[in-house]
Amino acid sequence: MNLSELTTESADPRFAGIDTMSVGELAATMNAADAGVPAAVRTALPSITPAIEAAAARMETGGRLVYVGAGTPGRLGVLDASECPPTFSTPPGQVFAIIAGGESAIVSPCEGAEDDEAAGAAAVESAGIGPLDTVVGIASSGRTPYVLAAVRRARELGALTVGLSCNAGTPLSAAAEHGIEVLVGPEVISGSTRLKAGTAQKLVLNMFSTIVMVRLGKTYGNLMVDVKASNGKLRERAVRMVATITGAGRDEALAALETNGFNVKQAVVASRFDLSPQDAAARLAAAGGRLRVALGETA
């Protein structure tokens, strides 16, 4: 592919004079450029929605959500995956990211790694990717060799594959079962896809992980009832959630949490039905971990 033909690599004449602008002018220019990103994501919703639905269906049967990227897209995948355990108490390995160049590339640029096709395919194989898994390849250009090879190999292994890019008609979209193309246009600094393209990718990844987790019963309404209460702020949030759902006072909610190992869902079920921690856990397990079902409400 001729890189000069890619929208993400083109130079927009509107931004040709940014080096002569004041700080205020440049901030306003960047803000105006960024304003179009949510609209671009909205335009891509018809391709985003079925990809998330398919991913959620596989994860409901025990599958994993795996992001693959190089450079900024890889780091965005790492960021999104790393937020799932504290927010949704996902077990180790249920949501994770593969980045070209390995863990060191998270903080130290390893730009040449994105061209290593063999490494991309090998990383997928090393992760034991299989038919229950969903692999989301992220590449602004839509033609990064490492990501393309990883997605192609994942598809050969039977995984659901998704390609997220910011150009039209990309090889990544062709390689994946679900192609998502968020067309944000040229960057304020030509080719610097950590800007609008990166913002668009983060918005889509937010949707992926959040919606999948909601579908898996990790929330009750808009409350993160599967939160891992590992610090003072999160423990206080847990208390408020138990109090809100059960109608209990703060002291009663705190006592229920302490009795139930600060497991919000278990504390709610135990309080609602006056159950022991063991019986509350059993009721939750029978409901597939879904609090609304365990409470006897409409699923």
Side-chain angles (χ1 to χ4, degrees):
M1 178 179 291
N2 185 345
L3 293 181
S4 66
E5 296 176 353
L6 298 178
T7 302
T8 51
E9 293 291 328
S10 61
D12 191 324
R14 293 178 301 166
F15 309 132
I18 61 171
D19 57 335
T20 67
M21 292 181 180
S22 69
V23 171
E25 290 171 335
L26 187 46
T29 296
M30 291 188 67
N31 180 248
D34 289 341
V37 175
V41 173
R42 182 166 57 251
T43 300
L45 285 177
S47 58
I48 294 170
T49 299
I52 296 175
E53 289 173 338
R58 295 212 182 191
M59 291 192 74
E60 285 179 342
T61 61
R64 300 172 295 172
L65 176 60
V66 185
Y67 299 130
V68 181
T72 296
R75 295 182 190 100
L76 290 172
V78 170
L79 172 62
D80 197 75
S82 67
E83 292 291 346
C84 288
T87 306
F88 302 112
S89 290
T90 56
Q94 186 180 33
V95 183
F96 65 95
I98 296 171
I99 182 169
E103 290 186 6
S104 63
I106 297 172
V107 295
S108 300
C110 188
E111 302 299 341
E114 73 172 49
D115 293 329
D116 195 337
E117 295 183 58
V124 164
E125 292 175 358
S126 295
I129 297 300
L132 294 181
D133 300 323
T134 298
V135 173
V136 181
I138 317 164
S140 302
S141 66
R143 45 77 58 203
T144 304
Y146 182 98
V147 178
L148 276 173
V151 168
R152 286 169 178 153
R153 184 61 183 137
R155 192 166 185 178
E156 289 172 354
L157 294 169
L160 174 74
T161 52
V162 180
L164 171 58
S165 64
C166 293
N167 282 291
T170 67
L172 181 57
S173 292
E177 185 175 344
H178 292 271
I180 299 171
E181 298 175 346
V182 185
L183 308 182
V184 296
E187 301 288 1
V188 171
I189 295 179
S190 178
S192 183
T193 52
R194 68 185 181 87
L195 301 177
K196 290 192 295 181
T199 300
Q201 290 158 12
K202 182 64 170 72
L203 291 176
V204 175
L205 296 183
N206 283 349
M207 290 182 183
F208 244 91
S209 56
T210 301
I211 296 172
V212 164
M213 292 301 154
V214 171
R215 299 294 292 174
L216 293 178
K218 295 289 188 176
T219 64
Y220 178 83
N222 64 344
L223 301 179
M224 57 167 72
V225 289
D226 253 333
V227 67
K228 188 174 293 183
S230 54
N231 60 35
K233 177 189 73 175
L234 295 178
R235 286 191 289 274
E236 184 58 32
R237 183 181 298 165
V239 171
R240 293 198 306 273
M241 286 191 286
V242 172
T244 297
I245 297 169
T246 65
R250 185 186 185 284
D251 290 345
E252 185 180 347
L254 176 59
L257 281 164
E258 290 175 337
T259 300
N260 288 276
F262 262 84
N263 182 309
V264 173
K265 293 195 291 191
Q266 189 173 304
V268 168
V269 172
S271 296
R272 178 70 60 86
F273 299 105
D274 193 23
L275 299 176
S276 68
Q278 295 77 15
D279 289 342
R283 187 179 180 104
L284 265 173
R290 299 174 185 273
L291 180 57
R292 195 175 294 278
V293 175
L295 295 177
E297 301 173 359
T298 302

